[in-house]
Amino acid sequence: MCESNAYLKDGENEVMLMESVDSIEPCGNGLKLMDIFGKQMFIKAKIKNMTLLNHRIILEEIGTS
Amino acid sequence: MCESNAYLKDGENEVMLMESVDSIEPCGNGLKLMDIFGKQMFIKAKIKNMTLLNHRIILEEIGTS
């Protein structure tokens, strides 16, 4: 399975936000994430970087940097 | 392997932009893509949506919509 985990950058730390993310799309002023089970989440954040081979998507809250 | 293919949305079509994408990160006013072989590409675009299970990342050029 090729889902990734989404982490939220919090200063030096990266906090797990959602596991097994399948899809991400911009929505309004943030991002809509959906995991492989269909669970959805909206967060006011942008993608900071992602490395698919490592299954990591790093998000950054908008307005905090 | 969990890389994805990146497509550029062109009207109704989606044109293959880069195969086997490993990482994406915002860079200046666009995105920097790198494939699993280390080849890099910069494009003035934003992520329109991505579905990792389908290995598809759809990009949209900035300023065309």
Side-chain angles (χ1 to χ4, degrees), chain A residues 8-62:
Chain A
L8 189 63
K9 188 126 179 98
D10 178 18
E12 290 303 300
N13 301 317
E14 292 166 356
V15 181
M16 169 71 80
L17 184 70
M18 185 183 237
E19 285 185 282
S20 304
V21 174
D22 171 24
S23 82
I24 297 183
E25 62 179 301
C27 181
N29 57 353
L31 297 171
K32 190 176 72 176
L33 283 69
M34 188 166 72
D35 73 11
I36 58 172
F37 309 107
K39 191 176 75 176
Q40 295 190 22
M41 168 188 282
F42 173 80
I43 181 165
K44 278 179 71 170
K46 59 184 179 179
I47 293 171
K48 182 171 167 63
N49 62 61
M50 43 190 273
T51 53
L52 299 177
L53 297 188
N54 291 335
H55 302 265
R56 289 170 63 82
I57 300 170
I58 311 297
L59 306 180
E60 194 171 46
E61 277 189 283
I62 294 172

Side-chain angles (χ1 to χ4, degrees), chain B residues 10-59:
Chain B
D10 177 18
E12 290 303 300
N13 301 318
E14 292 166 356
V15 181
M16 167 72 79
L17 184 69
M18 185 182 235
E19 285 184 282
S20 304
V21 174
D22 172 25
S23 82
I24 298 183
E25 63 180 300
C27 180
N29 57 353
L31 298 170
K32 190 175 73 177
L33 283 70
M34 188 166 71
D35 71 11
I36 58 171
F37 308 106
K39 191 177 73 175
Q40 296 190 22
M41 170 189 281
F42 173 81
I43 182 165
K44 278 179 72 171
K46 59 184 179 179
I47 294 171
K48 182 171 168 62
N49 63 61
M50 44 189 272
T51 53
L52 299 177
L53 297 188
N54 291 335
H55 303 264
R56 288 170 64 82
I57 300 170
I58 311 296
L59 306 180

